[in-house]
């Protein structure tokens, strides 16, 4: 579905892409903010407590005064936790009128030109910083759509000429 949606945006002449990845997302997601996000959507305290235990498993504090962060990658609950936390990011992109497709910590923002893509990347970096995350500079690029862009293992179509 994500790849189909990406192709749809490209066919609508939104072929300049911010092809992005969140730096060490599963290792860096802040526990306090994640738990607040979960508390907002799940009112049942017992269910919250159970989910919080999942979050705390396998993510030791890195220092005496350090706050816990990270979730176990590959755990059965990790995709749910990822989507709960990044729903605020999704809402932000939507409110900025930025068409996007996201699958876990990989996402593409679709724009009509390179300048708009550069602006979208700036917005994205600011929002992620507020969320305690950052863009993976090595895996993020502004690029015109084409078969050289692989999203979720699939090549994206070339922009209309």
């Amino acid at each position: 579905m994500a790849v189909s949606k990406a192709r749809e945006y490209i066919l609508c002449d939104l072929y300049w892409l911010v092809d992005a990845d969140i730096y060490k997302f599963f290792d860096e997601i802040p526990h306090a903010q994640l738990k607040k996000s979960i508390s907002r959507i799940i009112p049942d305290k017992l269910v919250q407590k159970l989910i919080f235990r999942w979050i705390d498993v396998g993510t030791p504090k890195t220092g005496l005064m350090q706050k816990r962060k990270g979730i176990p990658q590959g755990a059965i609950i990790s995709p749910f936790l990822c989507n709960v936390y990044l729903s605020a990011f999704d809402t932000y992109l939507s409110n900025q009128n930025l068409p996007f497709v996201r699958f876990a910590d990989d996402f593409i923002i679709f724009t009509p030109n390179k300048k708009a893509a550069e602006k979208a990347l700036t917005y994205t970096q600011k929002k992620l910083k507020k969320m305690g995350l950052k863009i993976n500079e090595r895996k993020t690029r502004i690029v015109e759509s084409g078969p050289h862009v692989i999203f979720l293992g699939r090549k994206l179509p070339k922009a209309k000429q």
Side-chain angles (χ1 to χ4, degrees):
M1 286 174 48
V3 173
S4 293
K5 191 64 174 177
R7 288 183 174 135
E8 183 181 319
Y9 284 134
I10 293 164
L11 290 173
C12 292
D13 291 333
L14 299 172
Y15 52 84
W16 274 97
L17 315 175
V18 177
D19 180 15
D21 179 77
I22 300 173
Y23 180 76
K24 293 187 176 184
F25 173 75
F26 289 94
D27 296 331
E28 295 293 322
I29 185 169
H31 282 200
Q33 290 174 263
L34 175 59
K35 289 177 179 180
K36 283 180 187 175
S37 297
I38 289 167
S39 297
R40 274 189 234 112
I41 65 165
I42 299 175
D44 187 302
K45 298 293 183 193
L46 290 174
V47 175
Q48 286 178 16
K49 189 174 181 179
L50 178 64
I51 293 170
F52 295 167
R53 284 185 177 171
W54 269 94
I55 293 169
D56 292 336
V57 169
T59 52
K61 284 188 176 181
T62 55
L64 186 61
M65 300 302 284
Q66 292 286 325
K67 295 181 180 178
R68 284 185 180 251
K69 62 182 178 178
I71 56 176
Q73 190 169 359
I76 197 159
I77 198 169
S78 295
F80 167 74
L81 298 174
C82 173
N83 285 329
V84 166
Y85 192 66
L86 290 178
S87 66
F89 178 68
D90 296 346
T91 300
Y92 173 80
L93 292 177
S94 293
N95 290 343
Q96 298 298 317
N97 294 318
L98 294 170
F100 71 97
V101 176
R102 181 182 62 78
F103 188 87
D105 61 331
D106 296 312
F107 61 94
I108 297 178
I109 300 172
F110 302 84
T111 65
N113 56 58
K114 188 175 183 179
K115 186 173 181 173
E118 290 167 348
K119 198 172 186 179
L121 178 57
T122 300
Y123 289 148
T124 300
Q125 290 170 317
K126 287 178 183 176
K127 178 61 178 174
L128 288 175
K129 185 175 182 180
K130 288 180 183 177
M131 296 176 70
L133 302 168
K134 62 183 175 180
I135 286 286
N136 185 334
E137 301 278 338
R138 289 184 5 167
K139 293 184 179 181
T140 299
R141 62 189 175 153
I142 293 174
V143 63
E144 199 169 6
S145 181
H148 59 283
V149 180
I150 311 287
F151 184 62
L152 304 178
R154 299 269 178 77
K155 295 178 181 180
L156 294 183
K158 188 174 183 179
K160 292 184 222 175
Q161 295 299 344

